[in-house]
Amino acid sequence: MRFACIDSKLIPEKLLTSPEQTSPISTFEQVPAQPLNPDYPYNKDLQQQLSGKQLLIEDLIFPLSELQAHYENGYLLYRKGIISTKNKPTCTRCGNHDPHYFAAFPCARCKEECTYCRKCLMMGRVSACTPLLSWTGPLIAHETNPPQLSWDGTLSTGQQLASERVVQAIKENKELLCWAVCGAGKTEVLFQGIDAALTAGKRVCLATPRTDVVLELTPRLKKVFPSIPVASLYGGSEDRHLNAPLTIATTHQLLRFYQAFDAVILDEVDAFPYSVDESLQYAVRQSRKPTSSMIYLTATPNEKWQADCRQGKRDYVTIPARFHRHPLPVPVFHWCGNWEKGLKKERLPANVLQWIKKRLLDGKQCLLFVPKIERMNDILPLVRKLHPKIEAVHAEDPNRKEKVQAMRKKDIPILLTTTILERGVTFPNIDVAVLGAEDRIFTESALVQIAGRVGRSAQAPSGEIIFFHYGKTNAMIRARKQITRMNEEARMKGLIDH
Amino acid sequence: MSHCQICMTDMMPQIGWRALFLKEDPFSICRECASKFEEIKGETCRSCDRSLENVAPQFKVDDQCADCIRWETDAEWAGVLDRNYSLLTYNTFAKEVLARYKFRGDYAIAFAFVPFIKQRLQSIPFDALVPIPLSEERLYERGFNQSEALIIASGYKPTNLLTRIHSEKQSKKSRAERIHLPQVFQTEASLSNEKVLLIDDIYTTGSTLRHAAKLLKSAGAQSVCSLTLARG
């Protein structure tokens, strides 16, 4: 669209009453903000929908004239959708500045060649003539009636310590990494912190890269915070316009937020796609208020973060033991030769075969991780000769959910899988093996997560984790070291009984 | 290094004697994406280009499908559209890519279709490429006309002969509603025996194209054919 600039005020072309010189928003040096008129009877619904957000005009149902009136009275701001410096565009919404992710088109809205961002296109096109709208009027005061938290569980010693640190970081608007081993019970660690934030009238967001985690966390948090509205945001969810004191969202959804939260808690910092997608990291930064706290949760921080922690560059707290006070199962390495070559002759390494047969005989369920889908497809017919109900699953498998469900119901004795099941899933009593642990897809984090699938429940706190390999890698060694270190730390702190 | 216009992965350019001498189009989509499109090949309906290979015998007569027989036996519509050409089957992938192209407004996707369009245009005789227009409202909403963009991306000049009168969404209507609609286009052109080739993104019932064809014939076109990316 095009704007005229009259008396330091932008006016959309469509609302002009007389012909004026107009141009796209991207061409203005700066978009002039208007002073707040405290007497203006602003629209409460618009405040609901827009405060803390950055939205396109078409994301809102309000007429342009009403939006413009809010702008003129200082309640709304137009920001440039695309900012170009030295001919290099950057998307204001998603932070994309990779030239491959921009294209241009003859735009019917501004009647000019218009550059647009292809990175966040699926959330509505942001182009050079697109204004991004945000709210500059008064924020919504969320009524708070303490006590909020309705939870009568108890925290383990490790959890309690971490919980106190989280509360402190949230109160002091600081950053904290909570490094909790798989199965430590990290969600419970957040309850006190969220409660403290809500009691102080703060707006909290719990973000995670994965939709299934949002779906899993929403009912749990609604249950422990029954007196407040909780917004649950993921692609296609209905809470899009719900302005709640507690928001649970995929990191993707944060692209629509702007300076909204006093506290952001980011679960699984190291998980795909957040770990590799700069625009999601940008989205999280944008969603925070300039003064706010940030809690990172993970079982497997990357090497850089681990080093930062050791060197004191990053504030962190560990939960080195599981809630059931048993040590983490430590991976055992078994050399299995050139297993890929063997597969071409339809042969599995003898020790792998032995391992599988033993589980089938004992009736113990297990997961077998394989680096590539193609290899998994080679293995499946071979192991099915041992048991016809063995299944395989990967990311694009349409029956993924059903197979995981069948595994839970113990209808499947052995499930072959790619790294897709490395995190998030819990089967109570299983053994786990990795075939081809030397593959570079098995990073240190991936291997620690995989090992973390074993011994999750208090009833069956142990189990075997084997890395079958054709040559040890640094990732394997570092993964084992990380696990043994955590066990040592837990023992020293008296968090393990067994 | 170029990038696939659809999935954005890096592509190694294929350099060979053929590429050097024949000046082929640089690859605009990767092999994997290209393989997910299904080009319409084999036996097709002589009127609408629908593939007849999986059409049950009661829905075709010789090389014409039942829908086209209905059109061509209707006195009002017989012979209005000389024939339609379509490039791709409207499979799940084509549906996804076309939705991103026109509903999300990802203009650059037009270039993904260029090789298909250019190749086919060589074998169709035409004097003018006429895009199916959008209403003003819809054009503003999308930012560009997806049919016109296909012509421009392929290196041709569009001849804008038509404008739209009504603005409701086609996809919300049934076949009967679409066919019995009064004329949705208007034109100020007067043609002298030109061969017109209409361009649209998708042929579903064929009613849009026939309304346009009817108008252009009465404006003096010698023949009106159509070329669409997909056959729904």
Side-chain angles (χ1 to χ4, degrees):
Chain A
M1 63 191 287
R2 298 175 74 89
F3 285 95
C5 188
I6 300 166
D7 303 332
S8 292
K9 208 179 268 179
L10 291 196
I11 301 174
E13 188 178 34
K14 279 188 181 172
L15 301 178
L16 289 172
T17 45
S18 57
E20 300 283 347
Q21 203 189 344
T22 58
S23 59
I25 193 163
S26 55
T27 58
F28 294 98
E29 190 83 19
Q30 213 154 28
V31 181
Q34 306 302 316
L36 190 80
N37 167 13
D39 301 327
Y40 178 69
Y42 65 89
N43 185 329
K44 290 258 164 67
D45 288 336
L46 180 59
Q47 179 198 34
Q48 263 302 321
Q49 293 186 23
L50 190 59
S51 71
K53 295 281 187 73
Q54 45 181 2
L55 299 178
L56 307 177
I57 288 173
E58 31 309 11
D59 290 334
L60 293 159
I61 44 160
F62 302 89
L64 186 61
S65 54
E66 188 170 6
L67 298 174
Q68 175 68 11
H70 280 81
Y71 162 71
E72 290 183 6
N73 286 284
Y75 286 74
L76 183 152
L77 187 67
Y78 298 125
R79 291 158 70 220
K80 296 180 189 182
I82 306 275
I83 292 173
S84 278
T85 35
K86 291 181 191 158
N87 270 330
K88 282 197 175 143
T90 301
C91 174
T92 309
R93 184 172 61 188
C94 76
N96 165 35
H97 52 86
D98 179 347
H100 292 117
Y101 278 92
F102 288 96
F105 70 108
C107 176
R109 294 190 186 183
C110 67
K111 312 278 191 309
E112 289 184 20
E113 192 72 4
C114 199
T115 300
Y116 70 99
C117 175
R118 301 188 71 196
K119 187 95 192 210
C120 58
L121 181 93
M122 295 310 273
M123 309 196 97
R125 186 178 55 210
V126 172
S127 75
C129 77
T130 309
L132 265 184
L133 274 48
S134 27
W135 181 256
T136 48
L139 295 180
I140 293 165
H142 290 293
E143 304 261 322
T144 50
N145 311 308
Q148 308 266 348
L149 181 61
S150 151
W151 183 65
D152 52 11
T154 44
L155 296 174
S156 70
T157 319
Q159 283 175 314
Q160 183 58 43
L161 192 79
S163 174
E164 282 159 19
R165 292 288 304 279
V166 170
V167 172
Q168 188 193 359
I170 284 178
K171 282 191 174 156
E172 295 171 5
N173 290 322
K174 288 201 169 132
E175 288 201 5
L176 178 72
L177 165 66
C178 180
W179 183 355
V181 297
C182 301
K186 54 190 157 92
T187 310
E188 293 86 347
V189 163
L190 303 173
F191 292 166
Q192 305 283 356
I194 295 173
D195 188 48
L198 295 173
T199 308
K202 289 181 171 178
R203 197 170 172 203
V204 183
C205 177
L206 178 50
T208 158
R210 308 186 319 144
T211 304
D212 10 341
V213 180
V214 173
L215 295 174
E216 189 210 307
L217 287 176
T218 302
R220 283 178 76 183
L221 284 151
K222 277 188 174 163
K223 206 173 151 202
V224 296
F225 294 104
S227 59
I228 54 156
V230 176
S232 182
L233 302 179
Y234 46 91
S237 79
E238 283 167 11
D239 294 351
R240 210 146 73 93
H241 291 308
L242 179 62
N243 195 318
L246 176 58
T247 300
I248 304 169
T250 57
T251 44
H252 216 95
Q253 291 301 317
L254 294 187
L255 284 169
R256 290 207 177 91
F257 284 83
Y258 182 62
Q259 303 190 348
F261 303 111
D262 301 280
V264 175
I265 301 162
L266 181 57
D267 195 7
E268 308 218 33
V269 221
D270 59 309
F272 183 83
Y274 179 82
S275 52
V276 295
D277 192 338
E278 272 181 51
S279 68
L280 296 181
Q281 297 161 22
Y282 177 89
V284 171
R285 284 200 298 276
Q286 287 270 98
S287 74
R288 296 175 58 183
K289 283 186 185 163
T291 308
S292 56
S293 54
M294 177 86 218
I295 311 291
Y296 298 99
L297 285 179
T298 178
T300 47
N302 63 27
E303 254 178 81
K304 168 94 177 43
W305 282 45
Q306 287 185 37
D308 287 353
C309 289
R310 275 196 298 274
Q311 291 158 13
K313 289 184 194 159
R314 185 175 280 285
D315 227 356
Y316 77 108
V317 58
T318 54
I319 310 180
R322 291 179 160 171
F323 71 94
H324 58 43
R325 303 181 68 87
H326 287 263
L328 299 164
V330 180
V332 175
F333 299 172
H334 283 319
W335 187 81
C336 67
N338 192 346
W339 58 279
E340 287 194 273
K341 200 172 156 195
L343 275 183
K344 285 194 186 125
K345 295 177 195 154
E346 302 188 4
R347 272 206 314 256
L348 270 172
N351 51 357
V352 177
L353 209 56
Q354 203 53 45
W355 189 85
I356 293 173
K357 280 183 181 163
K358 175 98 179 23
R359 314 295 119 177
L360 286 171
L361 203 68
D362 298 349
K364 179 140 190 195
Q365 276 190 301
C366 57
L367 287 175
L368 180 65
F369 285 83
V370 185
K372 299 182 193 92
I373 297 177
E374 301 85 63
R375 293 297 83 73
M376 197 165 77
N377 293 337
D378 295 340
I379 297 169
L380 188 61
L382 303 181
V383 292
R384 274 206 175 147
K385 285 181 198 158
L386 303 174
H387 197 300
K389 282 188 153 178
I390 295 178
E391 287 287 349
V393 68
H394 59 88
E396 264 135 68
D397 190 334
N399 300 321
R400 189 172 131 195
K401 277 196 183 135
E402 289 78 2
K403 285 178 184 170
V404 169
Q405 204 52 45
M407 181 78 183
R408 284 222 171 89
K409 288 201 310 214
K410 304 206 157 106
D411 291 342
I412 296 176
I414 297 181
L415 187 58
L416 309 184
T417 175
T418 58
T419 51
I420 185 69
L421 294 188
E422 80 176 31
R423 56 178 79 217
V425 280
T426 304
F427 305 108
N429 181 19
I430 55 165
D431 285 341
V432 174
V434 180
L435 176 56
E438 74 283 356
D439 196 284
R440 61 194 185 117
I441 196 164
F442 294 120
T443 58
E444 177 187 352
S445 301
L447 290 170
V448 172
Q449 288 284 356
I450 288 170
R453 300 306 103 208
V454 182
R456 295 293 285 251
S457 75
Q459 286 75 37
S462 57
E464 253 187 38
I465 165 74
I466 312 284
F467 295 167
F468 289 107
H469 65 91
Y470 181 41
K472 268 181 254 179
T473 60
N474 275 333
M476 289 165 60
I477 294 164
R478 287 185 57 98
R480 187 168 63 183
K481 205 177 204 173
Q482 197 186 126
I483 291 169
T484 48
R485 259 201 210 144
M486 282 294 187
N487 281 342
E488 277 163 26
E489 189 186 328
R491 243 179 223 112
M492 258 168 38
K493 291 184 174 166
L495 303 174
I496 292 178
D497 299 331
H498 304 270
Chain B
M1 186 91 78
S2 61
H3 288 249
C4 172
Q5 290 297 343
I6 295 175
C7 69
M8 303 301 291
T9 52
D10 297 340
M11 291 189 297
M12 290 300 282
Q14 299 255 326
I15 306 244
W17 293 111
R18 232 178 110 76
L20 278 176
F21 286 112
L22 295 177
K23 286 207 172 161
E24 280 182 309
D25 278 317
F27 268 42
S28 55
I29 55 174
C30 68
R31 273 154 194 250
E32 209 187 323
C33 287
S35 73
K36 289 184 194 162
F37 284 126
E38 243 174 279
E39 278 191 79
I40 298 176
K41 285 197 172 119
E43 195 200 351
T44 63
C45 168
R46 69 159 190 266
S47 303
C48 74
D49 225 5
R50 174 206 299 246
S51 169
L52 290 179
E53 280 170 9
N54 295 314
V55 172
Q58 68 266 34
F59 295 118
K60 63 182 174 188
V61 176
D62 299 327
D63 58 352
Q64 202 168 35
C65 72
D67 278 339
C68 287
I69 293 169
R70 259 212 282 178
W71 282 114
E72 298 304 324
T73 49
D74 183 330
E76 202 191 336
W77 294 106
V80 164
L81 182 68
D82 293 275
R83 84 154 285 176
N84 173 64
Y85 304 89
S86 292
L87 300 168
L88 305 168
T89 308
Y90 198 43
N91 61 10
T92 320
F93 186 66
K95 222 175 253 182
E96 241 170 65
V97 175
L98 270 174
R100 194 170 117 200
Y101 174 51
K102 68 186 223 194
F103 298 126
R104 303 290 175 174
D106 196 357
Y107 189 88
I109 298 239
F111 294 95
F113 298 121
V114 165
F116 299 102
I117 296 172
K118 269 190 162 174
Q119 195 197 4
R120 183 57 72 91
L121 281 180
Q122 286 170 1
S123 58
I124 306 174
F126 64 87
D127 299 314
L129 294 177
V130 178
I132 294 295
L134 297 178
S135 68
E136 238 178 84
E137 186 194 356
R138 190 80 57 235
L139 180 63
Y140 185 87
E141 191 183 295
R142 292 192 188 159
F144 62 88
N145 175 338
Q146 72 273 10
S147 307
E148 192 181 358
L150 291 174
I151 301 173
I152 298 170
S154 304
Y156 291 87
K157 246 186 106 103
T159 311
N160 286 303
L161 298 180
L162 302 166
T163 51
R164 203 177 266 268
I165 305 171
H166 290 275
S167 61
E168 301 99 309
K169 271 190 184 157
Q170 272 286 96
S171 48
K172 300 258 161 79
K173 296 188 201 115
S174 70
R175 181 178 190 272
E177 280 174 319
R178 290 190 195 192
I179 294 166
H180 296 298
L181 223 69
Q183 185 53 269
V184 287
F185 300 113
Q186 57 188 11
T187 182
E188 283 162 16
S190 76
L191 301 165
S192 47
N193 256 352
E194 275 99 339
K195 296 191 201 71
V196 170
L197 183 60
L198 293 167
I199 305 289
D200 205 359
D201 52 349
I202 169 160
Y203 181 113
T204 312
T205 64
S207 80
T208 305
L209 290 162
R210 279 182 173 82
H211 275 109
K214 196 171 194 184
L215 193 65
L216 292 173
K217 282 236 165 121
S218 57
Q222 182 202 85
S223 68
V224 181
C225 294
S226 56
L227 172 64
T228 71
L229 267 185
R231 177 67 181 86

